[in-house]
Every structure is written in structure tokens, then in C-alpha cells.
Amino acid sequence: RRAYLLERDKKIIRMRTKAGLTRSELAEALGMEQALLYQWENYEVEPTVKQYAQMAKLLNCDILDLI
């Protein structure tokens, strides 16, 4: 048997890039520090549902695209 370590799909990064925004630009639009957005993008801290909704609106995507 083999065990594989799978890296989680970094959906926030993917959708932010697809929207053509830098981390700095998205953080500013969300009214937050880049450091916190970095933590969200790398699954160190989980955004609230309200924060996911705000991000989805700014990135023109569905909340499920970010989770």
C-alpha cells in the first residue's frame, strides 16, 4: 500500500488569480491586512461565512468555489 500526501487545493488563491487581483488588492478591498488573507489562503485561519460571502462577491464567484 502507498500513502499519498495531497496538498489542499488553494481555492482562494486560484479564484483571486483568476479575477486578476493581487493579494494586496483583495486584502484592501476586504478592508484587512495582507497577513490575514495569506493565512486564509493557506488554511492557517478559516474565514467566517460572512467573510467568504464578501470574498465571493468581490471575486465574482460562488462561495463554494472558495471552500
Side-chain angles (χ1 to χ4, degrees), residues 9-30 32-42 55-62 65-67:
D9 182 17
K10 298 196 175 181
K11 295 179 181 181
I12 296 173
I13 294 172
R14 184 168 36 88
M15 297 309 293
R16 173 178 57 77
T17 303
K18 184 177 177 183
L21 295 174
T22 64
R23 183 178 296 128
S24 175
E25 291 167 335
L26 181 57
E28 185 176 330
L30 291 167
M32 62 189 303
E33 296 291 324
Q34 287 185 58
L36 180 56
L37 181 55
Y38 174 86
Q39 291 174 325
W40 287 0
E41 291 179 338
N42 291 283
M55 246 191 308
K57 184 176 180 180
L58 288 167
L59 298 175
N60 196 30
C61 67
D62 191 88
D65 294 328
L66 300 171
I67 297 174

